[in-house]
Every structure is written in structure tokens, then in C-alpha cells.
Amino acid sequence: AKIQSQVHGKHSVKLIESFSFRGHYCLSLELLYTDILSIAEKQRYQQLPPSTVRHITFQVLLSLREMTAKGIVHADIKPENILTNDESLLNTKVADFGTACFTEEQMFTYIQSRYYRAPEVLYGIRYGPPIDIWSLGCVVFELISGQVLFSAQDEVELAKMLTISIGP
């Protein structure tokens, strides 16, 4: 909630209220239609039009720019965490700040979904906002091609795939 309350941009899900209930910390967020993965699944992973992908990418980049300016790393950019108001995908917002952290306060060692995991995270190197750009690049590839870029079954396979793609 601390990080979610710091993100006020037009392209991030808005925190409405936070409260404690029976020992659980609860967040009330704005209601949106669905995530872009669900829309891709509905379309049987057909390629999205380049103009739509460009528009989604631009909106996510605006959100990431705001987070970077505030020293925040989202740490879980993936299609499920990019939400939209409707099927037109004209308005998309970044959601799920559960593993987000301030750059100087990295709390988690196991972050990012495997398909979108940046090399820094895979190898346990200190990370920052560039890991979100890496993840977004993987998402863009997926939206354009209809296929996951690095569909590794485990971290060893991911390391091999990254080495083949970008070198040691």
C-alpha cells in the first residue's frame, strides 16, 4: 500500500482505500474491465494490431516513467498486470504492486514471473527500473507475435535461452 499510494498517474490502477480486516491488510482499487492476457486468450493469441500494441506500450511506459521518477521498481510487469477499461484497449493501466519496491529498499529476491524475468534478477544481481523495461519488451513481443519470448520451464532453461539470445 505504501508504494501503491505513491503512484498517482493516469496509467496506474488507483488506490481508493486501504484498511485492516480480521488481521488482513486490504486494498480497495478502482474497478477495471479485464487484463490484456484475458483479451489475448479470447482472441486465441492472435497478434494484436501494431497500432494497438504501440498504444499499450506507450501507456505502460508512461506509468514506468512515473514510477522511476519516484524511485519505484514494479518488478512484475506481465500481461496479467496490465489492465484495461474495455476490449478496445484504448486505456490501459499497470496494476499489482505486490512485489514493487523502492530502488534503495529491495525486499524480494524472487520477483518477476519467469517468462518476463530480467537477467539481473535471474543471476541475483542488484536490480532497478530497467528490469521493468525488460519485462515490457517481453510483453510487447508476445502481443505482436502471439507467443511468449522466453517460455522456459525453469531458471536453468531460462539462463540457456538468454545466453543463446543475448550472449553470455
Side-chain angles (χ1 to χ4, degrees):
K2 179 181 176 185
I3 290 180
Q4 180 74 51
S5 66
Q6 294 289 316
V7 183
H8 302 292
K10 180 179 173 186
H11 301 291
S12 298
V13 174
K14 289 178 183 55
L15 175 66
I16 296 170
E17 183 181 4
S18 62
F19 55 93
S20 185
F21 179 74
R22 296 184 183 167
H24 296 280
Y25 194 67
C26 303
L27 302 175
S28 174
L29 304 168
E30 73 176 299
L31 182 62
L32 295 169
Y33 173 68
T34 192
D35 60 84
I36 61 172
L37 178 66
S38 296
I39 290 175
E41 286 173 344
K42 256 185 175 176
Q43 298 177 357
R44 296 191 176 104
Y45 293 96
Q46 297 296 317
Q47 303 162 338
L48 291 176
S51 61
T52 301
V53 175
R54 188 177 314 114
H55 191 71
I56 292 167
T57 303
F58 183 69
Q59 290 179 80
V60 174
L61 283 170
L62 289 173
S63 180
L64 293 178
R65 180 175 70 178
E66 178 191 2
M67 285 184 251
T68 299
K70 294 179 179 185
I72 296 171
V73 180
H74 184 279
D76 200 18
I77 298 294
K78 59 186 178 181
E80 299 97 306
N81 291 339
I82 302 171
L83 305 181
T84 183
N85 288 348
D86 56 34
E87 287 194 36
S88 73
L89 297 169
L90 290 177
N91 296 304
T92 57
K93 296 184 177 204
V94 174
D96 190 354
F97 290 82
T99 57
C101 65
F102 290 102
T103 306
E104 68 281 352
E105 298 174 3
Q106 295 179 15
M107 303 183 326
F108 304 105
T109 55
Y110 188 78
I111 56 169
Q112 293 186 307
S113 297
R114 186 183 325 104
Y115 296 165
Y116 312 98
R117 191 167 296 148
E120 302 95 295
V121 174
L122 178 66
Y123 295 114
I125 301 168
R126 185 158 178 78
Y127 59 85
I131 69 168
D132 292 332
I133 298 296
W134 175 276
S135 298
L136 179 58
C138 294
V139 169
V140 169
F141 177 89
E142 189 171 336
L143 296 176
I144 290 171
S145 71
Q147 298 181 2
V148 175
L149 179 58
F150 298 112
S151 59
Q153 298 301 311
D154 55 38
E155 292 204 345
V156 172
E157 186 178 13
L158 179 59
K160 288 177 184 175
M161 292 174 132
L162 292 177
T163 301
I164 291 167
S165 297
I166 61 175

